[in-house]
Amino acid sequence: MSVVVPHIIKFDSVDSTNSLLKELAQKGANEGTVVVATTQHAGRGRGGRIWHSPEGGLYFSLLLKSYPNRRPTDMALLAGAVMAQTVKHFCPQPCLVGVKWPNDCLLEGKKVGGVLCEAIDHGDSAALIIGVGININTPLSELEPFMGRPFGATSLREGCGGKCFELESILERFLKVFFEHYPKYLEEGFLFLQTLWERECLFIGKNVELRNTGTTEESKDNVGGVRGTFLGIDEQGAIVLSDSCGNRRSYVTGEMTCCW
Ligand code: BTN
């Protein structure tokens, strides 16, 4: 198996690092190309949302070309777990950091980062763009409009008592850890990823609510969302909940909106 060596290309302001890397990939950019930008004026989040990207945050996209024909969602789970490990590494004191299904990173209960993974056609196989956004030194005023969302928003600086962080070191650490785990995933398969992800998950055994699960059955029976005890993820990467009668059910889509 060939080792992927990251090659970082820095930009000032771009529309979206995912969109830019997609263009570069179509022009022949190599596996391991990483596009990083100081700001994005059309940063994209999951579910068609905007990813607000002012100065102070870390915004980058990583290209995987030799990704075998496995699910893009696996890489989003991997990137989410690596993001949690990276954020934890930089917290000067022990902080509550981990993943919220499927790939958000929470710091002290608030969202600090997210992942947007996109597959693109690449000859016979699919290439993958893994986009990561982390609020690092982002001023609180920039995050205020997002405080009303489930779990709100924070930055590493805000969660760590005002300390300022070097974005390059955080990017380097993320890539180092990602490329330590990636070959193990390729060799060992999903079980490796499931174990890693569940170790970084903050909600195992907790009662959670899931909205927008995308099935008409749920929207009819559970107007306020589906509730259950979070057991973990299954071999598809879907969230597994157990209801009050102990029945297990997996959900491929949805958004965790609260936990108690
Ligand atoms: C989410 O939580 O909704 C995912 C956010 C992903 C944002 C990152 S920032 C770098 C990359 N470029 C984008 O346009 N989006 C991703």
Side-chain angles (χ1 to χ4, degrees):
M1 190 187 312
S2 63
V3 176
V4 183
V5 181
H7 168 62
I8 300 172
I9 312 175
K10 293 180 185 167
F11 291 85
D12 226 3
S13 182
V14 300
D15 56 351
S16 150
T17 55
N18 269 31
S19 306
L20 177 58
L21 187 53
K22 189 175 178 178
E23 282 172 31
L24 296 178
Q26 275 151 358
K27 289 180 189 156
N30 291 328
E31 162 118 308
T33 301
V34 177
V35 164
V36 56
T38 310
T39 61
Q40 300 180 115
H41 43 86
R44 296 186 282 113
R46 290 195 307 119
R49 284 187 287 256
I50 289 169
W51 183 258
H52 184 51
S53 314
E55 209 169 325
L58 176 62
Y59 317 109
F60 67 93
S61 302
L62 159 68
L63 178 63
L64 291 182
K65 277 175 132 176
S66 60
Y67 184 64
N69 197 13
R70 300 194 199 191
R71 295 177 300 256
T73 46
D74 284 7
M75 284 304 97
L77 290 171
L78 180 61
V82 172
M83 175 166 47
Q85 292 181 327
T86 305
V87 168
K88 215 182 294 176
H89 176 82
F90 282 93
C91 288
Q93 71 276 358
C95 284
L96 191 62
V97 179
V99 280
K100 171 173 93 71
W101 186 82
N103 43 46
D104 287 346
C105 178
L106 301 189
L107 166 60
E108 300 296 352
K110 292 183 183 161
K111 179 161 170 169
V112 69
V115 178
L116 178 67
C117 241
E118 297 179 295
I120 51 170
D121 279 341
H122 168 62
D124 294 340
S125 60
L128 210 60
I129 292 179
I130 303 170
V132 177
I134 315 177
N135 303 323
I136 307 284
N137 303 316
T138 319
L140 202 53
S141 58
E142 298 282 0
L143 301 173
E144 256 148 24
F146 306 94
M147 296 300 182
R149 287 204 184 153
F151 296 92
T154 192
S155 64
L156 190 51
R157 184 174 189 173
E158 182 60 24
C160 298
K163 183 176 154 43
C164 207
F165 295 87
E166 207 185 53
L167 302 183
E168 288 80 10
S169 317
I170 297 174
L171 173 59
E172 274 167 25
R173 175 80 195 180
F174 178 98
L175 294 171
K176 178 181 178 291
V177 178
F178 185 91
F179 284 113
E180 279 166 10
H181 292 321
Y182 182 55
K184 292 189 197 150
Y185 161 80
L186 294 178
E187 272 168 41
E188 296 173 33
F190 186 75
L191 191 59
F192 167 79
L193 175 56
Q194 186 178 28
T195 310
L196 175 79
W197 190 91
E198 289 185 350
R199 208 168 51 220
E200 297 305 326
C201 178
L202 295 164
F203 297 97
I204 307 277
K206 300 243 166 68
N207 293 315
V208 303
E209 182 185 84
L210 200 63
R211 288 189 182 235
N212 305 324
T213 53
T215 66
T216 49
E217 194 191 329
E218 264 89 53
S219 45
K220 195 166 57 177
D221 297 343
N222 301 285
V223 177
V226 194
R227 291 177 171 211
T229 307
F230 187 0
L231 301 180
I233 53 173
D234 69 11
E235 56 289 344
Q236 307 297 318
I239 184 170
V240 185
L241 302 185
S242 141
D243 67 16
S244 51
C245 303
N247 301 314
R248 287 163 167 247
R249 186 152 179 193
S250 297
Y251 299 89
V252 179
T253 57
E255 189 191 4
M256 260 184 62
T257 43
C258 67
C259 121
W260 62 96

